[in-house]
Amino acid sequence: MQPLLVAYAGLVLLNLLGVGLHQEPLEWLAKPLLAPVLALHLWRLTHRGHPLALAALAFATAGDVALLLPGAGAFAAGTACFLGTQVCYVAAFVRQGAAASLRARPLVCMGCLAVWAAANAVLLPHLGSLAWAVAPYSAALVTMAATASVMGTRAAWGGAVFVSSDLLVGLGAAGAEFPGRPVLVMATYAVAQFLLVDAFVHARAAQEGENPAVGAPRTLAEP
């Protein structure tokens, strides 16, 4: 396994322990490093191959830090940062041909629109002053999930899991708390970001005929 992915797994575990045990120092130690480690992994294997994905991870880093802070203002700032994340991901997927792919699959668009409308109908009345930030963000999030499938199964799952993670965030913001929700938020978020980054890594490797595990050209003996 790539050393940076081992580091990422360790940071995820540390962060989950911090969340589950209510140890803020562990969260502050681990969470701000999650997206940067994935960005280093992506850059190491693709260099400048996916600048929009790197930008998405930069926005995610800022959002992760903002959401560690208390208060509605910090939540709104974090949401704005993650709006940048989703816009960058969408732009990256559109560059890969997502618009044409979705035109050929209108049912996917309709399904994503239905999910967005249903979630907003349930959550927005309970979000008060945060509704203005959540509504546009959720639209960008669902758009990201819809367009992600152009990059293959990994990205499609990454987009779907990202939606699930942020739906859990929305439930908490709306007051619908339940045991284990914060841990589930971070676990699904970590999985979603890894799947999306892994999709970009494999896409670049496929374009250049490389083995994504080592970033080197394949030999004739490899499958």
Side-chain angles (χ1 to χ4, degrees), residues 122-163:
V122 171
L123 294 178
L124 290 187
H126 304 283
L127 292 177
S129 61
L130 294 175
W132 67 269
V134 172
Y137 171 74
S138 61
L141 172 67
V142 171
T143 302
M144 182 278 294
T147 55
S149 59
V150 74
M151 297 282 290
T153 304
R154 289 180 183 84
W157 275 108
V161 176
F162 215 137
V163 171

Side-chain angles (χ1 to χ4, degrees), residues 143-217:
T143 302
M144 182 278 294
T147 55
S149 59
V150 74
M151 297 282 290
T153 304
R154 289 180 183 84
W157 275 108
V161 176
F162 215 137
V163 171
S164 300
S165 180
D166 280 353
L167 181 58
L168 290 168
V169 173
L171 288 172
E177 193 59 76
F178 58 87
R181 185 196 63 83
V183 174
L184 283 174
V185 167
M186 286 309 305
T188 50
Y189 168 71
V191 170
Q193 289 281 41
F194 165 73
L195 288 172
L196 290 170
V197 168
D198 200 45
F200 285 107
V201 168
H202 279 77
R204 184 68 174 180
Q207 290 172 1
E208 298 185 355
E210 295 176 350
N211 184 338
V214 297

Side-chain angles (χ1 to χ4, degrees), residues 10-29:
L11 288 169
V12 170
L13 179 59
L14 194 63
N15 186 67
L16 292 178
L17 286 173
V19 173
L21 300 175
H22 306 288
Q23 296 294 317
E24 288 190 9
L26 288 181
E27 293 183 64
W28 275 99
L29 177 64

